[in-house]
Amino acid sequence: MFKKILIANRGEIACRVIKSARKMGIATVAVYSDADKNALHVEMADEAVHIGPPPASESYLVMERILDAVRQTGAEAVHPGYGFLSENPRFAEALAAENVAFIGPPTGAIQAMGDKITSKKLAAEAGVSTVPGYMGLIEDAEEAVKISREIGYPVMIKASAGGGGKGMRIAWNDDEAREGFQSSKNEAASSFGDDRIFIEKFITQPRHIEIQVLGDTHGNCIWLNERECSIQRRNQKVIEEAPSPFLDAETRRAMGEQAVALSRAVDYSSAGTVEFIVDGARNFYFLEMNTRLQVEHPVTELITGIDLVEQMIRVAAGEKLSIAQADVGINGWAIESRLYAEDPYRNFLPSIGRLVRYRPPAEHVSDTEIIRNDTGVYEGGEISMFYDPMIAKLCTWGPDRAAAIETMRNALDEFEVEGIGHNIPFLSAVMDHPKFTAGEMTTAFIDEVFPDGFNGVELPEAELRRLAASAAAMYRVQEIRDARISGTMDNHEREVGSDWVISIGGNDWPVTIEADRQGATVKFADGGAYRVTSDWLPGNPLAILSVNDERLVAKVERIPNGFRMRHRGADLRVLVRTPRMFELSKHMIEKIPPDTSKMLLCPMPGLMVSVAVEEGQAVEEGQILCTVEAMKMENVLRAERKGVVAKINAVAGDSLAVDDVIMEFE
Ligand code: ADP
Ligand code: ADP
Ligand code: MG
């Protein structure tokens, strides 16, 4: 076995690999850019080597820098993680030339599968079912239109070198094919340095279900069941689970066997993933093979008990697989939520900045519940614009799907992230959605369920009442403390009133509170009483309460006369006022926010790529105004309504901050 390995990656995946190496008694070397000087993976590793400036193209993607770090530290093997150099056959070759093991598949397999066009042809030859489409390259937009018509709309326009949902567009008609071809080509060129495009049929009612495979260098190859990854936004996975609620044993086996057949066809070894698109009738079609450890591998580990990173290291060291196909079972259910630094309330645009507060729920393992959080960040650290916006992968396991979901709901409620925009409320909303809980999702789930974007969720009245009662009890605790601090009271808790009006989610509920040493009983004037107990103290941003013996977790923040409370995807202003204050408030005038409807504000920090209109030009609703690049994605900003451009404040090449006024309309 190796004595020392180098991890050519950063963030959560570098930390993840270090954990398994450490368990196996292998020393670890981290590499880092200037932006990652204080990163978690650097701290966790036994040694760390600086490899250059923040942009990945000048550090993590520079082979020679990584090779230098290997030479300098004497590492015997390199784990590439995912992304970066993980699917670069030249990197694996360069390591081989130095007699260093690549913890991944053989170069030939990476090469064969690295390209979507080539791999599709190979899969078809290996007897794997593939998506109908045109397997050649497409030269220009008019040819794209012609081929799309031949295949028949809707079609999927894809970059042959694509990955991570980038360089991909659905087209339903000629115009979209033309436009999609161009934007896929641009995105592919800037993300992968390879702008080859192909087109295939868009499978409707699609579910993304993928098979984990594991092979060794002695000719053994097995499949480790599936992961369902249908909850996607912009073809990027957001929530994954294992097993899939949609597969039956027969389909699972057929997919597993085809995945292994394809792996064998390219002499695959190490961990890999064969992705399929599955239609409503359980027909499945090969999409692509990822020749690396997959982001969502933890859910497979949780249901099979197999440490995939450990297996990859063993295989790279030449060991035979110690697991046979018959040893692989499915134990319980696992779910992964990807926490992204993106603001769900602003159309999920990337958010960067300092993690003022970062407190994940405690990881733990028991017979009925597992909470696992794979992360690469820490409180006080920075989410920079240079890398992937993923903050953490929160995984839960339970004996069945419902239990895994319930554990996830509570874990998300407990997860504290402050300082940057994040998608926790959105993840919570999905966990509570009846279609999700019924397991009835396709890759269109997010677009169908949130057609106008995400604007928070409306909680059912019963849940609002539980929150209202909690707010009343917490407010009372706070009032008593405030009174003590200001000296207006010496321990006579009676002086804090017992009649209040709680305003929450459009309701104004008069309540009375009866408190004792253990907690408070909150009685609603229109009926119903809630017993609230908790050890919450004023100033604590996380409240874990018991409301009528049921757990309630909420993030709380003090505001004048109440709290901002966040719970299960809802973000609420809860006011706790005396009946007199409540009456007076009815006569106050609400402050009106400034009118920004006649401006195009920059929704995220980024770089202006191009401006598509001129001052004085009339625009139609939906017309492209400009393109802003952020986190390697091109974001097309469109006119929200018909109008005339009065003033343009930015030109191509300008750096933009959030809320910068890009354009003004008449
Ligand atoms: P990437 O390399 O970006 O992961 P994939 O080819 O694996 O690209 O596709 C990513 C996602 O895009 C899939 O999970 C699926 O949701 C969607 N997708 C890709 N191809 C098709 C298709 N032909 N029909 C329907 N959806 C597709
Ligand atoms: P999956 O492994 O599930 O297919 P994704 O497709 O979402 O996951 O992400 C993997 C791809 O996204 C990589 O191939 C890479 O293009 C990009 N990516 C994601 N995270 C990172 C990262 N930390 N560093 C570099 N690239 C990343
Ligand atoms: Mg994919």
Side-chain angles (χ1 to χ4, degrees):
M1 185 43 66
F2 309 118
K3 290 198 175 58
K4 191 194 270 189
I5 65 170
L6 181 141
I7 296 102
N9 214 305
R10 62 176 305 282
E12 67 86 17
I13 198 60
C15 299
R16 161 74 192 90
V17 174
I18 292 170
K19 277 187 193 160
S20 285
R22 176 169 299 158
K23 188 182 79 180
M24 299 169 75
I26 301 170
T28 53
V29 182
V31 292
Y32 65 96
S33 71
D34 289 332
D36 281 337
K37 219 171 18 221
N38 301 314
L40 199 57
H41 73 284
V42 173
E43 196 192 295
M44 280 175 69
D46 299 307
E47 285 173 76
V49 181
H50 173 247
I51 51 163
S57 58
E58 295 170 40
S59 51
Y60 296 102
L61 282 168
V62 184
M63 270 193 261
E64 204 41 49
R65 297 277 168 105
I66 309 283
L67 292 171
D68 276 343
V70 171
R71 291 179 200 121
Q72 201 178 315
T73 56
E76 299 150 89
V78 172
H79 196 301
Y82 52 75
F84 297 141
L85 297 168
S86 62
E87 292 173 281
N88 186 328
R90 282 181 300 122
F91 180 57
E93 257 163 26
L95 288 174
E98 309 240 345
N99 252 329
V100 174
F102 177 69
I103 304 175
T107 316
I110 305 178
Q111 218 141 19
M113 294 294 134
D115 190 87
K116 291 197 165 118
I117 297 179
T118 320
S119 67
K120 224 176 128 173
K121 287 180 184 156
L122 254 162
E125 283 165 22
V128 176
S129 126
T130 59
V131 186
Y134 179 73
M135 300 246 197
L137 283 180
I138 293 153
E139 291 308 327
D140 58 41
E142 289 320 311
E143 195 186 346
V145 169
K146 189 175 142 260
I147 287 163
S148 301
R149 284 189 182 168
E150 279 164 22
I151 296 171
Y153 291 109
V155 298
M156 195 86 184
I157 302 168
K158 286 187 174 183
S160 196
K166 286 170 196 162
M168 190 182 304
R169 298 285 186 281
I170 304 173
W172 295 84
N173 54 47
D174 290 357
D175 281 349
E176 287 179 5
R178 213 170 277 125
E179 196 185 292
F181 174 81
Q182 206 48 55
S183 48
S184 289
K185 205 172 168 70
N186 293 348
E187 206 167 282
S190 75
S191 297
F192 316 110
D194 176 344
D195 67 354
R196 289 171 306 133
I197 300 295
F198 72 107
I199 301 183
E200 64 189 19
K201 182 88 189 151
F202 177 76
I203 304 295
T204 43
Q205 293 299 300
R207 299 175 74 120
H208 175 116
I209 302 178
E210 58 187 32
I211 300 286
Q212 175 72 53
V213 296
L214 180 64
D216 65 18
T217 51
H218 306 274
N220 301 301
C221 188
I222 57 176
W223 50 278
L224 306 181
N225 300 307
E226 78 282 8
R227 293 182 287 259
E228 163 116 32
C229 316
S230 297
I231 307 290
Q232 308 184 339
R233 220 181 50 75
R234 290 195 182 185
N235 304 313
Q236 255 285 23
K237 299 160 186 169
V238 183
I239 292 169
E240 302 99 335
E241 62 185 288
S244 160
F246 190 58
L247 287 196
D248 48 44
E250 196 186 327
T251 314
R252 172 177 298 125
R253 170 176 298 274
M255 290 172 74
E257 285 171 357
Q258 287 199 9
V260 166
L262 177 60
S263 306
R264 288 195 188 281
V266 292
D267 285 326
Y268 202 85
S269 62
S270 193
T273 295
V274 180
E275 296 188 331
F276 292 95
I277 198 96
V278 183
D279 72 14
R282 291 199 184 83
N283 297 308
F284 57 89
Y285 307 94
F286 169 77
L287 272 185
E288 63 162 344
M289 180 168 190
N290 293 326
T291 54
R292 54 170 162 87
L293 186 64
Q294 196 94 333
V295 174
E296 59 277 17
H297 74 279
V299 290
T300 297
E301 297 187 323
L302 287 168
I303 63 156
T304 60
I306 296 168
D307 179 334
L308 285 166
V309 173
E310 178 187 336
Q311 294 301 322
M312 291 177 83
I313 296 174
R314 292 194 183 284
V315 167
E319 286 187 20
K320 267 191 186 160
L321 281 190
S322 58
I323 312 153
Q325 188 65 59
D327 302 335
V328 182
I330 299 179
N331 173 30
W333 212 284
I335 301 184
E336 169 179 284
S337 293
R338 297 191 192 190
L339 267 67
Y340 282 117
E342 57 185 20
D343 194 338
Y345 304 110
R346 305 180 71 131
N347 200 20
F348 297 93
L349 287 156
S351 177
I352 56 175
R354 192 167 296 285
L355 279 170
V356 175
R357 198 172 170 87
Y358 176 77
R359 306 276 165 95
E363 291 189 310
H364 84 111
V365 177
S366 76
D367 289 346
T368 53
E369 186 179 278
I370 298 177
I371 297 180
R372 165 175 168 177
N373 187 50
D374 284 22
T375 194
V377 301
Y378 57 92
E379 187 165 293
E382 191 106 31
I383 302 285
S384 81
M385 63 182 282
F386 297 107
Y387 313 112
D388 203 76
M390 197 161 71
I391 307 169
K393 299 181 327 204
L394 178 63
C395 299
T396 58
W397 175 92
D400 55 33
R401 189 165 187 267
I405 292 175
E406 183 59 18
T407 302
M408 180 62 78
R409 287 178 180 139
N410 284 320
L412 286 168
D413 274 343
E414 274 187 50
F415 210 124
E416 295 179 77
V417 179
E418 300 289 341
I420 53 162
H422 58 77
N423 64 341
I424 294 176
F426 176 71
L427 295 167
S428 296
V430 175
M431 291 299 146
D432 271 338
H433 197 277
K435 261 186 151 169
F436 177 76
T437 52
E440 283 163 16
M441 59 277 198
T442 70
T443 59
F445 175 89
I446 292 177
D447 285 339
E448 281 169 13
V449 170
F450 306 100
D452 306 316
F454 179 70
N455 304 304
V457 296
E458 279 189 26
L459 294 176
E461 184 175 323
E463 200 62 16
L464 286 178
R465 284 189 187 256
R466 279 161 36 85
L467 280 173
S470 303
M474 289 191 295
Y475 199 74
R476 187 186 154 275
V477 173
Q478 184 169 288
E479 284 283 284
I480 290 168
R481 198 183 71 162
D482 287 358
R484 270 197 204 125
I485 291 169
S486 64
T488 53
M489 182 180 83
D490 24 34
N491 258 346
H492 294 298
E493 303 195 352
R494 233 166 292 120
E495 291 193 23
V496 171
S498 58
D499 289 330
W500 300 93
V501 177
I502 319 290
S503 303
I504 180 169
N507 306 285
D508 301 304
W509 284 316
V511 301
T512 42
I513 305 186
E514 284 163 21
D516 51 58
R517 290 263 157 239
Q518 283 74 44
T521 300
V522 181
K523 286 189 176 143
F524 283 72
D526 59 358
Y530 293 81
R531 176 72 186 159
V532 182
T533 58
S534 166
D535 53 10
W536 179 82
L537 291 172
N540 191 339
L542 187 70
I544 301 177
L545 310 113
S546 157
V547 182
N548 286 353
D549 291 326
E550 269 182 62
R551 191 177 155 92
L552 186 149
V553 183
K555 263 117 18 191
V556 294
E557 203 177 299
R558 187 172 183 165
I559 57 172
N561 299 311
F563 302 101
R564 174 183 175 199
M565 295 181 82
R566 283 169 292 167
H567 170 77
R568 293 288 158 92
D571 190 339
L572 298 154
R573 259 175 92 233
V574 188
L575 298 179
V576 184
R577 292 174 291 192
T578 61
R580 181 168 162 71
M581 276 174 69
F582 171 69
E583 281 310 315
L584 288 174
S585 73
K586 288 186 180 164
H587 307 293
M588 304 240 300
I589 298 160
E590 288 250 359
K591 222 167 60 192
I592 295 161
D595 180 15
T596 54
S597 63
K598 290 201 155 61
M599 299 173 189
L600 174 70
L601 301 183
C602 187
M604 71 244 143
L607 186 77
M608 178 63 74
V609 178
S610 60
V611 179
V613 293
E614 289 170 7
E615 287 181 5
Q617 186 176 334
V619 294
E620 294 299 321
E621 181 186 328
Q623 185 170 338
I624 297 175
L625 298 173
C626 62
T627 306
V628 175
E629 188 196 289
M631 287 178 163
K632 300 247 179 282
M633 283 283 257
E634 284 199 355
N635 302 278
V636 174
L637 305 184
R638 293 167 186 276
E640 276 183 22
R641 60 183 72 80
K642 199 176 152 94
V644 175
V645 180
K647 193 160 175 285
I648 300 178
N649 302 318
V651 295
D654 280 0
S655 285
L656 301 164
V658 173
D659 287 344
D660 273 0
V661 180
I662 299 177
M663 272 174 219
E664 293 162 46
F665 300 93
E666 279 172 9

